[in-house]
Amino acid sequence: MQANENIDSEILTVSRLNREARFILEGSFPMVWIEGEISNFAAPQSGHWYFSLKDATAQVRCAMFRLSNRAINFKPKDGMHVMLKARVSLYEGRGEFQLLAEHMEEMGVGKLRAAFETLKKKLQAEGLFAPEKKKSLPSLPTCIGVVTSPTGAAIRDILSVLKRRFPALPVIIYPTPVQGDSAAPNIVNAIRTANQRKECDVLIIARGGGSIEDFWPFNEEIVARAIFASDIPTISGVGHEIDFTIADFVADHRAPTPSAAAELVVPDVLEYQESFERQKLRLFRIIQQTLLGTMKTVAWISKHLQQQHPKRRLAEKSQHLDLCEAALIRLMTQRINHLQNQMRSGEIRLLSYTTAHRIRTLNSVLERNYQSLHNSIKSHLQIQQQALMSAAAKLDALSPLATLQRGFSITTKNSRIITSVQAVATGDKINVRLADGLLDCAIEKIFF
């Protein structure tokens, strides 16, 4: 008896299995960036987007709900190359692995990221990032060199920090543009000039914050190789703490900001300030650890809340209704076509008999079959109408657009429902069924 109870406790329903699998997927994967080509794109009346993202050898189903896709300033279409920011999930209703996209962008910025990763892997494989090749900084430099723009905010921050921490220390600025097409070769020339003159014993390479395009000179291969070839120890202080460039990985030391680079290169003048800085750093670490623990707890609670949020459940139900609606229309069409084929077959058999008596007999049988068929169709249509009304009521109850005026229509061509502009051409005749009637239309122009 005890063995049977143990077996029963391990039996899962399909719904529970899919739900547990979704929790595991969403809890195990962070938000991911993924690129690929769009295919099978569909945008039903609910406002959600459904599509596949594929590359040369694989594909994955994706959904982008209305609240996320309304911020996108372009209309996706099949064949478009895009980059998604998405959560890994599973659609419980069908047990399908899928991505829930929260952001989409056309490849452009994505190409820069790809170029960044390609060069990073190449230089790492060549050993330019190897820790054993990093040069140590002098404990107290006699002169500091700075490669940056002489008019930017970075040099002002660096000079301000150096003046506060060690005002007597000389500083040599090797001026160079740090943004634009000509910036990379100028940065290389400045680094080489500093090495040729041998005026300083540590070199700060810096610029202020900006976008990935602004930072791109520091992601150029010639700049990376010039930093690696420098005999003078280098410190990279480009952008803010969250910004990373190839120069950060190649340099002997990386500072999160230009100001931090200046602080890293010199000590404070007074001993008590050193003690104060140590205590401040210790306190910062304690706060950071406490904050990190709190942030992890908040992140876990937020993720759990997001998984149970009514908006999430509503979006899944809306997706399920879209599938049910398409299936219902398909079944009704198949049933009507089947009945029409039966009627045509009966008419052909009736015409094959010539005697009047057979005709009267068959007329009587045909009348009874017609009445039975009529009653069957009427009964079946009533059942389908009731099911459709029930599904429509559920959709109306779940839809966040219940308060807005509804205007739904079904567009067909040759009795087939049109779900994509790819299914029609200019000049085609189409039927548009509205709530109170049927419109015969012609395609004059198609917009993609």
Side-chain angles (χ1 to χ4, degrees), residues 131-166:
E132 62 272 13
K133 295 183 180 180
K134 305 292 185 182
K135 295 179 282 293
S136 59
L137 299 179
S139 57
L140 183 60
T142 58
C143 181
I144 298 174
V146 182
V147 176
T148 190
S149 170
T151 60
I155 189 60
R156 293 195 297 271
D157 293 341
I158 291 172
L159 293 177
S160 175
V161 172
L162 293 178
K163 182 178 180 181
R164 170 173 55 83
R165 291 175 64 87
F166 212 99

Side-chain angles (χ1 to χ4, degrees), residues 174-420:
Y174 299 93
T176 177
V178 292
Q179 182 174 332
D181 296 336
S182 64
N186 279 281
I187 294 171
V188 171
N189 290 334
I191 295 172
R192 290 174 178 171
T193 299
N195 278 268
Q196 291 169 358
R197 294 180 181 177
K198 302 184 184 301
E199 300 165 319
C200 54
D201 46 11
V202 64
L203 195 60
I204 297 176
I205 304 167
R207 70 149 287 152
S211 65
I212 187 173
E213 292 87 353
D214 297 334
F215 294 142
W216 199 250
F218 298 90
N219 292 323
E220 294 284 358
E221 184 173 358
I222 58 173
V223 173
R225 296 193 181 279
I227 294 174
F228 182 76
S230 174
D231 295 326
I232 303 173
T234 55
I235 301 175
S236 174
V238 179
H240 301 299
E241 185 169 0
I242 61 174
D243 301 316
F244 280 88
T245 65
I246 297 297
D248 293 328
F249 298 105
V250 180
D252 298 309
H253 296 271
R254 186 253 177 185
T257 63
S259 298
E263 292 182 356
L264 182 64
V265 79
V266 294
D268 281 343
V269 176
L270 303 176
E271 184 64 25
Y272 81 91
Q273 288 181 331
E274 292 180 355
S275 176
F276 175 79
E277 289 296 325
R278 287 195 296 270
Q279 294 297 326
K280 185 177 71 172
L281 181 60
R282 179 175 176 273
L283 180 61
F284 175 78
R285 288 173 178 170
I286 293 174
I287 294 174
Q288 189 178 42
Q289 290 173 357
T290 304
L291 181 60
L292 182 61
T294 304
M295 289 175 63
K296 287 182 178 178
T297 302
V298 172
W300 183 88
I301 295 174
S302 177
K303 183 182 293 184
H304 185 71
L305 179 61
Q306 187 180 36
Q307 291 173 348
Q308 303 298 328
H309 198 284
K311 182 179 69 175
R312 172 68 179 275
R313 303 299 299 169
L314 179 62
E316 291 182 351
K317 294 297 184 183
S318 179
Q319 183 178 358
H320 179 69
L321 277 177
D322 290 337
L323 296 174
C324 290
E325 180 184 4
L328 178 60
I329 293 173
R330 184 172 62 254
L331 289 174
M332 290 181 61
T333 302
Q334 292 175 353
R335 180 60 177 169
I336 291 173
N337 290 338
H338 177 69
L339 294 175
Q340 288 177 344
N341 290 334
Q342 285 184 334
M343 291 183 63
R344 284 194 292 269
S345 178
E347 290 174 354
I348 293 173
R349 286 197 303 272
L350 181 63
L351 292 175
S352 64
Y353 295 96
T354 57
T355 64
H357 176 75
R358 187 60 178 166
I359 290 175
R360 286 193 298 271
T361 301
L362 290 178
N363 278 336
S364 177
V365 173
L366 181 61
E367 182 64 26
R368 289 195 300 272
N369 289 340
Y370 177 82
Q371 188 62 39
S372 175
L373 180 61
H374 177 76
N375 292 337
S376 176
I377 293 174
K378 183 177 179 181
S379 175
H380 181 75
L381 288 177
Q382 287 176 348
I383 292 173
Q384 295 297 327
Q385 287 173 349
Q386 290 176 358
L388 182 60
M389 290 174 63
S390 176
K394 291 180 180 179
L395 179 61
D396 184 64
L398 293 173
S399 175
L401 302 178
T403 57
L404 303 180
Q405 181 180 1
R406 295 177 177 272
F408 295 95
S409 64
I410 299 176
T411 304
T412 60
K413 173 185 173 183
N414 298 329
S415 299
R416 295 184 177 273
I417 296 175
I418 300 174
T419 60
S420 169

Side-chain angles (χ1 to χ4, degrees), residues 66-128:
R66 181 178 57 84
L67 292 179
S68 297
N69 66 43
R70 66 183 181 182
I72 306 303
N73 57 8
F74 64 93
K75 182 64 180 291
K77 60 182 180 180
D78 289 352
M80 180 178 290
H81 204 136
V82 298
M83 179 172 286
L84 299 182
K85 182 181 181 182
R87 290 183 289 108
V88 178
S89 185
L90 181 138
Y91 177 48
E92 294 182 25
R94 302 179 99 177
E96 290 182 347
F97 175 79
Q98 67 176 359
L99 297 179
L100 300 180
E102 294 189 1
H103 178 71
M104 178 188 295
E105 62 186 36
E106 294 183 87
M107 289 300 293
V109 173
K111 290 182 179 179
L112 292 181
R113 288 196 182 97
F116 176 92
E117 292 299 330
T118 299
L119 180 58
K120 179 181 174 184
K121 291 178 181 178
K122 173 185 176 182
L123 298 182
Q124 186 173 23
E126 294 181 17
L128 271 68

